[in-house]
């Protein structure tokens, strides 16, 4: 859209000079629309009251006057009450009169009254819009206003409102201003009285009115009077910022006022006759309900009962009121108001905009009034309300209940969001005055500031109420008996505090929630400190909120912290929630408690509460150990019962009764039990205290016993010991070993055990069970555990020395034990075994008390020096204990002896010494070895101990005398590979018992292998198989060492120079690959030592195949060697492809990628000229060696930055001999680019020149239509990520422009190679000035057949990446018709349906045009004269080859040639008419193409089938064949392109013979003139001068003679064929002549090589050609050649063949026509020509061919050695020389 200068447009319009017209207003419609905004109740009254307040009135009187009822008569009993009832129920309103005693109207007031929307310009007045008065028209049609001595009446004329004023007479003058509103109809009932009275009462809240009276006729129904006490100034706190957020308003001062409104009313205002009637009908309905409703009433529960109860109460009240309607009611409402005076500070622009919106400037000063109630007055009002029925609650809306309202003079629908009314007369309301305008920009800003100012006033009022509350509390404290603040004092003012909090509880305002938010924002934001501080009631009085804490109930032990009273904390008003949320009021902190504990000491009860509080906080995870420790550190408590001070910071333990008995002495760091008995021990532990354990308690009892009282001493008082020892014994089982040992050490040396002989040490005391002697100190207590007593040393057995002395009579000095044998001693000790002290056991172990078996010397031995009797050990000749009788190893005595050290078997070391000793008898050594093996497990001979021995004792294989230690031999025979000894074979099964390992340490094997790598495959296999068996041991370092070591032998092929076999070279396993090798066997080392050995190599880093990373490293480092080894570019490319396939992994190796960039390892190709192409090669066919050079690809290694990636096939074809190109595979291309290769498009610069634009709109439209149609088929086979722009984009955004030509110039950067060519299509941004500069355009040359350039351009536009095959596919789609595409499987049904619809419409249009054209042509078409005829040489009715036989349904002889002629004219000979038609086409006289004519051409039967002569001696024509009619042509460009490719597809026959191939397809119709089966077994015999090869049948007896005799005729036949081929652009190399007397084929096509039968030329055309008449021959062989070329695309004859042949004739007919036009003049002399044969190479003379322009320069093939003959002609311009 073009840019428009609207300022200029406005100036032009205003200054146009046209007549101006005023805008008119429909007054009635305007007032109706204004009244539509005044939808609230009592709107008219509110506006009139507002006018009274603006006029400074103090009193307003409202009076309703009624009509008497015309239908219902007066009551029979005309009492005042009955009359009043009748008036309310049945009378209708006549008028409403509203009077006020304000200032009379001034002249301006009268003027404004007549003008709508002018408003009151006084900014101090509420009226702003000037439309409020017009609310009277909602009830009244023609109001009357009187004020002072004037009156104004309003009346209508149509839709226009008029006024008329008058002066009042003196007797009519009245100081009051009166509004007389006559109702527009007599159907208005008396309104509901109570809502009207409530409205009037609410109207007095903030306006200046002090008195309102309300009358119904003569009855005064309501009288309101307001009185106000003197105001007092309110101190504004200094920390409050009284400016609003944007600085437009500032609160300067505030005052507080108390007022009251008294109301007197008649009770009739609460009377509702409708309620009585509805309730009565409900009773009737209920009493008359049916049986069916009875069942439904059963399902009705308490809800209906409650509603019926309420209805009944209301009915009773209404009935009661009806009895006394004229009774009076009185009530008084008490109000508190805070009035703030504000000044405004607005700039001029803001004031101007606001004045424009409100019709008055913003006030310089204004006020905001906040109405609240105190608790006492609220309770008083509530008590009054409770005594008055809701039916008469006049003040229902005066006092703010749950939330207040915004008053703009009068109440609006907008609530304040907290418990106060706000009067803000300067707030701008909406037009209907029910809401605040928060939409208009400037008004919104002003109103938002006013609401913020209201929040500031609310904050001021809060502080005023808090100060009043504080004064009240001070007076209460002073009046009490004590001067100390107590909870009783707080309780007295608590209701008022709660009232204040609830009154300032902010909630969501309605209908606009933004109003309440703005007020609340102003309330909190005015605090300069930003800390939201408020003075609140606390347990310590009125304090700032930051000093008050939560949590009073739980911290009653702290008296000095000011807490929020629980009555407030439990309810948590919204104001408190805000302070808590902002962290102004917080829960009590550790710092608070710590500070309080530092200033006071706790009594016993407070200490208990303190500890309980901490325990609870810890349990709830609200107090951690560190915090608890800090409190305990400063806490001090008085234990008045024990008269001592407890410093909790020194306490470390607490007492529990299950460990320490109650009343027992405890250490000083233990808290007394009475303070913690109600606290869970886990909580006490969390305080950092530990439970008092038995050990420290006993230590405490035994410490400083000298200063302890005797009754508290453990070592001397049996009674105290009897209390302490059971406590220890009770816990003994649960004590740790360390604690037991500590207690033992504390008690063992002290006289703590009470015995019958007094207090004794434990070691001196005996159990009660010891009764061997009577004089022993046995303990007297029975409640002590045996375990406890045993540990501390109380004896259960008598001392061993005493036993020796008393029972054995053993002298302590002589040691004689003869009195009692060791057997009897052992038996006694066994009897008291459990009570023998360990010290006595040790003494027995160290004393020699036993004799040996067989030793009669009397020598005694220690028990540990002897063995128990055992027959298996006797061969070892050991010492056994002497034991009479049978020795049982399971007896108690034997067990005790083993305890004392009696040996059951020798140790392994002793056995080894027996085995290794050469002094022992061999039988002893063998028995010792067998015993060691047999009893290895039973006696626990540890193999590690045996293996560690240094004594050689094991026999080995191969040396009977040698002995080795277990660590020096192994059981695995392959360990000998490393030089180790092998354990004797018979001991292998016991190797584990003897400490012999199967294999040596793996590290030793690895070391040996590294020093002695295998030199043969056999050695390697043995070694690797051994390691394979130990793969589990080959972990970590050993495997890593082997993987890097050169231990794998690689056997060298051949012998060294000296003739010896070459030594193996060694590689590390990581450099080898397993198996026999695959495709990389030539460049990598593959080894195969068998599955087991290969498993070892695999563990050491060998791989079955190399990874891509390894291949990349290999080719990067050794590219030439790898390529030379592979000896194949194909294999090398496969290697690079595998690397490219894993490029995502390789590219992460930054170092390798850097090396790859610098390495010449990439394979690239460049096109080179084949050297062979430069040599002359003899050939029978001169055409075999064309001018084209034979090229081949040369592959070479190069760096990536020297290679280009082919992204544009066209560019590559131009410069493929100048650049190194990457292989055209996507993965390889991506890798080449990643390594630094360039795109060929980036190194080729191109410029183009676009010819002049053709105004061929149809061509452009057809081309776009074709492209849009076919690209959608093209895109259907592509993935979404391949497509850059889809078919819809092509249709909408791509333009096609036809131009005369396009040339393209390309050059290679930094290279001299350049290329220029003409192309037929190009994509480019539009730069021709015909379109927008950035339009997408394809320029194309119309009429071309090859659409490859167009396809390439489309691929460039639409695809992300172009591939050559994609352009080829698109070319096929563009050039092929839809039927062909459908046959190839493309889904073209949609396009065909669309085409059919278009064709049908187009056909109908063309049919109409054709009929009109035919009508004109029938009248005006001229008759074309016949061409001169030459006498025919044979039957002129002979048909051309390719014509088709007539059929009854298609035979139209009169229309076979489309030319007007007389009805009686005979049909012209076919060839004559054919030539005439071709001449007409050439000269432009034909109006219809051959394509349509060919459908009408008839055919005839052949004249001859053999070489027999007819009546004229001439050869007849070949047999024709049948064909059907072709289908219609729809896509001419595609057809033309395909036919051109079909022609070009013809090629030479490179064989020297044509053999019979059999009949592949049997032809059903008559044998054709092109049936090649008849032309079989012919061989090459020579070629004509013009290079056409001549074949002859093998059956021909003398082909050389035939060629010599017919050379001139063959040359003439060659000239005819070449002329036709030249015109048709058929390649010369594809043309051949054959001669076969037996063949009936005129011509045939085999392998796209065309053969023409000379026999038919000789019979049909030779004579004419010799006479100079060549037109018939040219025409005949043209049709024949078209027929054979068609076989390039269709093998068999049929409808499709017919279709393509006829279109080929149409395509090339114009060229033949030009050829025929050059030969109109007879007399062309065909002389002799040269013919070379295989038998003879003679040169024949040649003559000049005159007037033969079709033989052009390409046929003038001169040779330097050929003779030249020239014949003069009278006209040199008509002479051409044929050089031979």
């Amino acid at each position: 859209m073009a840019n428009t200068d609207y300022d200029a447009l406005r100036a032009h319009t205003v200054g146009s000079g046209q007549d101006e017209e005023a805008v008119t207003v429909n007054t009635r419609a305007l007032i109706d629309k204004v009244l539509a905004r005044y939808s609230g109740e009592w709107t008219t009254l509110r506006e009139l009251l507002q006018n009274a307040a603006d006029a400074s009135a103090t009193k307003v009187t409202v009076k309703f006057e009624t009509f008497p009822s015309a239908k219902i008569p007066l009551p029979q009993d005309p009492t005042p009450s009955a009359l009043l009832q009748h008036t309310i129920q049945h009378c209708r309103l006549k008028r409403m009169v509203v009077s006020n005693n304000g200032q009379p109207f001034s002249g301006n007031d009268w003027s404004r009254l007549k003008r709508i929307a002018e408003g009151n310009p006084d900014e101090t007045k509420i009226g702003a819009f000037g439309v409020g008065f017009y609310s009277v028209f909602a009830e009244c049609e023609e109001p009357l206003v009187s004020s002072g001595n004037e009156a104004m009446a309003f009346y209508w004329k149509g839709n226009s409102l008029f006024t008329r004023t008058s002066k009042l007479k003196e007797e009519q003058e009245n100081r009051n201003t009166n509004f007389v509103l006559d109702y527009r109809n007599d159907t208005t009932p008396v309104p509901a009285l109570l809502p009207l009275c409530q409205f009037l009462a609410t109207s007095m809240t903030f306006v200046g009115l002090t008195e309102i009276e309300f009358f119904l006729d003569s009855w005064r129904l309501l009288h309101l009077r307001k009185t106000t006490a003197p105001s007092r100034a309110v101190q504004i706190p200094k920390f409050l910022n009284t400016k609003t957020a944007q600085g437009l308003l500032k609160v300067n001062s505030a005052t507080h006022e108390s007022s009251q409104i008294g109301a007197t009313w008649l009770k009739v205002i609460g009377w509702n006759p409708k309620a009585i009637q509805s309730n009565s009908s409900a009773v009737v309905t209920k009493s008359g309900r049916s049986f069916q409703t009875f069942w439904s009433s059963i399902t009705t529960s308490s809800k209906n009962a409650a509603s019926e109860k309420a209805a009944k109460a209301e009915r009773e009240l209404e009935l009661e009121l009806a009895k006394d309607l004229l009774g009076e009611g009185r009530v008084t409402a008490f109000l508190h108001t805070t009035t703030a005076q504000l000044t405004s500070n607005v700039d001029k622009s803001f004031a101007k905009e606001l004045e424009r919106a409100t019709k008055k400037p913003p006030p310089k000063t204004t006020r905001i009034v906040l109405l609240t109630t105190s608790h006492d007055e609220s309770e008083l009002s509530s008590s009054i309300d409770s005594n008055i029925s809701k039916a008469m609650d006049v003040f229902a809306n005066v006092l703010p209940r749950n939330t207040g309202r915004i008053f703009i003079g009068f109440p609006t629908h907008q609530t304040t969001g907290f418990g106060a009314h706000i009067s803000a007369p300067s707030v701008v309301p909406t037009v209907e005055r029910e809401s605040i305008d928060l939409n208009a920009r400037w008004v919104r800003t002003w109103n938002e500031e006013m609401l913020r100012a209201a929040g500031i006033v609310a904050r001021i009022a809060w502080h005023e109420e808090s100060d009043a509350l504080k004064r009240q509390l001070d007076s209460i404290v002073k009046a009490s008996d004590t001067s100390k603040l107590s909870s009783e004092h707080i309780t007295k003012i608590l209701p008022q505090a709660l009232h204040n909090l609830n009154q300032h509880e902010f909630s969501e305002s309605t209908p606009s929630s933004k109003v309440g938010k703005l007020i609340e924002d102003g309330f909190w934001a005015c605090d300069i400190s930003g800390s939201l501080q408020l003075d609140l009631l606390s347990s310590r009085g009125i304090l700032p909120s930051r000093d008050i804490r939560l949590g009073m109930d739980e911290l009653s032990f702290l008296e000095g912290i000011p807490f929020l009273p629980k009555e407030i904390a439990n309810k948590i008003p919204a104001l408190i929630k805000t302070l808590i949320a902002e962290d102004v009021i917080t829960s009590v902190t550790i710092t608070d408690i710590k500070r309080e504990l530092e200033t006071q000491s706790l009594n016993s009860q407070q200490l208990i509460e303190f500890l309980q509080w901490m325990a609870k906080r810890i349990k709830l995870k609200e107090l951690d150990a560190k915090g608890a420790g800090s409190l305990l550190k400063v806490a001090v408590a008085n234990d008045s019962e024990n008269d001592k001070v407890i410093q909790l910071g020194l306490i470390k333990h607490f007492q529990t009764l299950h460990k320490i008995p109650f009343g027992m002495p405890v250490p000083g760091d233990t808290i007394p039990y009475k303070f913690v008995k109600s606290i869970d021990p886990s909580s006490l532990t969390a305080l950092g205290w530990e439970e008092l354990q038995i050990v420290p308690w006993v230590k405490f009892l035994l410490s400083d016993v000298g200063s302890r009282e005797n009754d508290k001493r453990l070592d001397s008082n049996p009674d105290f010991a009897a209390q302490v020892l059971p406590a220890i014994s009770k816990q003994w089982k649960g004590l740790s070993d360390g604690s037991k040992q500590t207690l033992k050490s504390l008690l063992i040396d002290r006289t703590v055990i009470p015995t019958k002989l007094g207090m004794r040490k434990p070691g001196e005391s005996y159990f009660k069970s010891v009764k061997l002697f009577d004089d022993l100190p046995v303990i007297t207590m029975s409640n002590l555990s045996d375990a406890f007593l045993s540990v501390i040393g109380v004896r259960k057995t008598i001392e061993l020395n005493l036993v020796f002395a008393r029972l054995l009579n053993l002298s302590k000095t002589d040691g004689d034990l003869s009195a009692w044998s060791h057997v009897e001693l052992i038996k006694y000790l066994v009897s008291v075994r459990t009570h023998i002290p360990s010290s006595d056991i040790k003494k027995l172990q160290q004393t020699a008390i036993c004799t040996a078996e067989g030793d009669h010397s009397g020598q005694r031995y220690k028990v540990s020096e002897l063995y128990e009797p055992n027959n298996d050990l006797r061969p070892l000749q050991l010492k056994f204990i002497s034991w009479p009788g049978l020795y049982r190893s399971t007896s108690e005595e034997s067990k005790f002896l083993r305890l004392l050290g009696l040996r059951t078997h020798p140790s392994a070391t002793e056995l080894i010494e027996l085995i290794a000793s050469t002094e022992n008898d061999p039988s002893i050594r063998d028995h010792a070895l067998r015993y060691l093996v047999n009893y290895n497990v039973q006696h626990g001979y540890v193999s590690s101990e045996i293996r560690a021995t240094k004594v050689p004792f094991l026999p080995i294989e191969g040396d009977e005398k040698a002995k080795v230690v277990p660590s020096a031999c192994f059981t695995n025979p392959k360990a000998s590979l490393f030089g180790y000894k092998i354990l004797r074979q018979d001991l292998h099964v016991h190797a584990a018992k003897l400490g012999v390992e199967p294999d040596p340490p793996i590290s030793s094997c690895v070391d040996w292998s590294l020093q002695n790598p295998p030199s043969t495959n056999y050695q390697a296999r043995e070694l690797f198989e051994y390691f394979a068996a130990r793969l589990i041991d080959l972990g970590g370092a050993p495997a890593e060492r082997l993987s890097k070591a050169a231990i794998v032998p690689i056997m060298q092929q051949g012998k060294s120079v000296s003739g010896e076999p070459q030594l193996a070279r060694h590689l590390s396993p990581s450099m080898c690959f397993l198996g026999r090798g695959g495709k990389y066997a030539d460049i990598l080392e593959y080894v195969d030592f068998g599955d087991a050995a290969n498993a070892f190599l695999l563990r050491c880093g060998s791989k079955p195949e190399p990874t891509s990373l390894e291949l990349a490293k290999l080719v990067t480092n050794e590219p030439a060697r790898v390529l030379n080894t592979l000896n194949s570019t194909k294999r090398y490319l496969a290697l690079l492809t595998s690397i490219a396939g894993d490029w995502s992994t390789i590219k992460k190796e930054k170092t390798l990628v850097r090396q790859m960039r610098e390495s010449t390892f990439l394979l690239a190709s460049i096109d080179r000229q084949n050297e062979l192409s430069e040599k002359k090669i003899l050939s029978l066919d001169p055409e075999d060696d064309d001018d084209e050079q034979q090229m081949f690809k040369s592959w070479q290694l190069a760096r990536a930055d020297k290679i280009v990636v082919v992204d544009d096939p066209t560019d590559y074809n131009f410069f493929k001999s100048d650049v190194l190109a990457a292989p055209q595979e996507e993965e390889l291309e991506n890798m080449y680019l990643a390594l630094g290769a360039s795109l060929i498009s980036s190194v080729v610069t191109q410029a183009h020149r676009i010819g002049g634009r053709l105004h061929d709109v149809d061509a452009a439209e057809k081309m776009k239509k074709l492209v849009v149609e076919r690209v959608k088929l093209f895109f259907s086979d592509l993935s979404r990520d391949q497509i850059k722009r889809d078919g819809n984009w092509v249709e909408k955004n791509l333009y096609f422009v036809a131009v005369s030509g396009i040339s393209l110039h390309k050059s290679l950067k930094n290279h001299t190679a350049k290329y220029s060519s003409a192309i037929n299509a190009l994509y480019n941004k539009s730069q021709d000035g015909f379109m927008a500069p950035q339009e997408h355009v394809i320029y194309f040359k119309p009429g071309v057949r090859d659409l490859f350039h167009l396809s390439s351009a489309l691929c460039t536009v639409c695809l992300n990446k172009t591939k050559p095959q994609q352009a080829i596919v698109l070319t096929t789609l563009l050039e092929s018709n839809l039927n062909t595409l459908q046959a190839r499987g493309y889904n073209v049904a949609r396009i065909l349906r669309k085409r059919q619809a278009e064709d049908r419409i187009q056909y109908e249009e063309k049919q109409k045009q054709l009929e009109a054209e035919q009508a004109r042509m029938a009248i005006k078409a001229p008759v074309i004269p016949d061409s001169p005829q030459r006498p025919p040489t044979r039957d002129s009715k002979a048909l051309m080859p390719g014509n088709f036989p007539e059929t009854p349904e298609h035979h139209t002889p009169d229309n076979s040639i489309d030319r007007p002629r007389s009805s009686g004219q005979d049909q012209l000979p076919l060839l004559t008419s054919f030539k005439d038609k071709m001449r007409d086409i050439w000269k432009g006289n034909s109006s219809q193409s051959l394509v349509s004519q060919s459908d009408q051409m008839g055919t005839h039967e052949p004249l001859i089938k053999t070489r027999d002569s007819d009546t004229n001696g001439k050869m007849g024509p070949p047999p024709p064949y049948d064909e059907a009619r072709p289908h219609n042509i729809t896509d001419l460009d595609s057809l033309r392109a395909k036919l051109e490719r079909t022609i070009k597809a013809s090629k030479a026959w490179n064989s020297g013979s044509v053999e019979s191939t059999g009949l592949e397809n049997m032809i059903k119709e008559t044998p054709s003139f092109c049936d090649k089966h008849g032309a079989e077994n012919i061989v090459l015999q020579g070629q004509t001068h013009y290079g056409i090869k001549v074949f002859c049948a093998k059956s021909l007896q003398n082909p050389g003679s035939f060629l010599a005799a017919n050379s001139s005729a063959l040359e003439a036949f060659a000239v005819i064929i070449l002329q036709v081929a030249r015109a048709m652009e058929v390649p010369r190399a594809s043309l051949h002549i054959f001669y076969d007397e037996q063949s009936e084929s005129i011509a045939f096509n085999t392998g796209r090589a065309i053969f023409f039968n000379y026999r038919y030329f000789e019979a049909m055309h030779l004579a004419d050609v010799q006479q100079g008449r060549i037109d018939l021959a040219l025409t005949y062989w043209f049709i024949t050649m078209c027929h054979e070329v068609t076989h390039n695309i269709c093998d068999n004859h049929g409808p499709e063949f017919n279709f393509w042949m006829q279109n080929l004739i149409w395509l090339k007919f114009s060229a033949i026509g030009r050829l025929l036009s050059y030969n109109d003049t007879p007399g062309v002399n065909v002389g002799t020509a040269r013919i070379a044969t295989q038998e003879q190479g003679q040169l024949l003379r040649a003559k000049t061919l005159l007037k033969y322009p079709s033989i052009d320069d390409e046929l003038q093939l001169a040779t330097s050695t050929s003779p030249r003959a020239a014949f003069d002609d009278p006209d040199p311009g008509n002479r051409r020389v044929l050089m031979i």
Side-chain angles (χ1 to χ4, degrees), residues 1232-1245:
Y1232 278 46
L1233 290 172
L1235 292 175
S1238 304
L1239 296 172
I1240 193 169
S1241 60
S1242 66
V1243 300
V1244 173
T1245 59

Side-chain angles (χ1 to χ4, degrees), residues 694-695 698 702 714 721 724-733 735-755 759-767 777 779-781 783-796 835 837-839:
I694 199 71
V695 174
V698 172
L702 294 176
L714 180 59
V724 174
L725 293 179
I728 300 174
S729 175
K730 181 180 178 182
Q731 302 176 54
W732 186 261
K733 188 176 181 180
L735 295 176
S736 65
D737 293 341
S739 298
K740 291 177 180 179
Q741 291 300 320
T742 302
L743 289 173
K744 177 181 177 182
S745 63
L746 290 173
L747 300 177
I748 195 169
D749 294 328
R750 296 179 182 269
T751 57
V752 294
I753 305 297
T755 68
M759 297 295 289
R760 292 288 189 270
K761 296 179 180 179
E764 298 173 351
S765 307
Y766 290 89
F767 279 84
I779 62 175
T780 59
M781 298 178 62
N783 58 348
L784 301 179
S785 67
D786 291 351
F788 165 59
L789 295 175
S790 297
V791 172
I792 63 176
V794 178
R795 299 181 64 87
K796 287 187 176 181
H835 308 301
S838 58
S839 58

